[in-house]
Amino acid sequence: KNVPIYRKFGMKVLDVATYIAGGLHVTDSQSGFRAYGKKAIENINLNGTDMSAGSEILIQARDHKLKFTEVEIHCRYDLEDCSSEHPFIHGPRVLFQLLKDMEYRRPLYYFAVPGLIMTSTGVLMGLKFLQDYILGDYLRFGPTLLMVMLTIIGAFMIFTGIILHAISRMIFINEQIRR
């Protein structure tokens, strides 16, 4: 209750990013109010040293098939100087860490989806330019160069995502075999 709009927006962005990075749907990924069982303490190893630990813990809990339950907490936002970090610094830092995690955990989302968007945009621009050319217009250098770059870079991103996805699956399978 009484959560400032900018915090609600930031929390929703980080919740969606946590879902995309780790496949885990939660209503407040950044809540610092947590309790852990023995199995969680034994299995969760934090790599981050900052406020991104909240999402990292949730993603590792999912990786280790640990049970978790969300409970409602009450938080006051009407007090001054209670946060350990400013939300406009905390939010982007956590989002950047989630993007780094997503690069490893979900390369298809991280590389292939943006690559597909870029390639599709380039191809659609090319079709439009071709139509204009056939109708007697001339090709402009800047937009044509942009179309070529979008198409090529997008295709490379798609292939990079596919290759990294295959590598990450091999690493995951090897980790499962070792256990």
Side-chain angles (χ1 to χ4, degrees):
K1 297 177 183 178
N2 301 323
V3 180
I5 297 289
Y6 68 91
R7 281 189 180 267
K8 280 185 183 179
F9 176 76
M11 289 164 54
K12 185 54 69 181
V13 167
L14 294 176
D15 292 345
V16 169
T18 300
Y19 175 74
I20 292 171
L24 191 65
H25 177 72
V26 294
T27 57
D28 186 3
S29 62
Q30 301 310 302
S31 173
F33 187 69
R34 308 246 168 112
Y36 303 98
K38 181 180 178 185
K39 188 174 178 184
I41 292 170
E42 291 170 350
N43 287 295
I44 295 176
N45 298 309
L46 295 178
N47 295 320
T49 58
D50 58 11
M51 299 294 283
S52 65
S55 294
E56 185 179 0
I57 290 167
L58 291 171
I59 292 169
Q60 286 192 29
R62 183 180 183 276
D63 288 348
H64 295 291
K65 296 176 178 59
L66 300 173
K67 295 178 191 175
F68 75 94
T69 303
E70 290 187 282
V71 296
E72 183 178 341
I73 63 168
H74 300 282
C75 186
R76 293 184 59 185
Y77 290 96
D78 60 338
L79 303 173
E80 302 227 1
D81 299 327
C82 290
S83 294
S84 60
E85 279 195 54
H86 194 281
F88 290 109
I89 294 172
H90 170 246
R93 188 179 298 153
V94 173
L95 185 59
F96 181 70
Q97 184 61 43
L98 283 168
L99 288 173
K100 283 175 46 179
D101 288 345
M102 194 168 86
E103 180 181 7
Y104 170 72
R105 295 173 170 280
R106 302 213 178 215
L108 286 177
Y109 284 117
Y110 191 82
F111 289 104
V113 170
L116 185 61
I117 292 168
M118 289 173 72
T119 302
S120 299
T121 302
V123 168
L124 290 175
M125 286 173 68
L127 292 173
K128 173 69 171 123
F129 296 161
L130 181 62
Q131 178 187 17
D132 291 346
Y133 183 74
I134 290 172
L135 295 175
D137 202 0
Y138 62 92
L139 295 176
R140 291 171 188 81
F141 179 75
T144 303
L145 182 62
L146 177 64
M147 178 262 316
V148 170
M149 287 176 51
L150 284 172
T151 305
I152 292 172
I153 292 170
F156 276 119
M157 288 180 72
I158 291 169
F159 290 127
T160 300
I162 291 169
I163 291 167
L164 290 176
H165 176 73
I167 291 170
S168 70
R169 292 300 105 203
M170 288 175 17
I171 291 170
F172 177 75
I173 290 169
N174 284 338
E175 287 176 357
Q176 295 299 320
I177 292 172
R178 278 190 236 148
R179 289 183 193 177

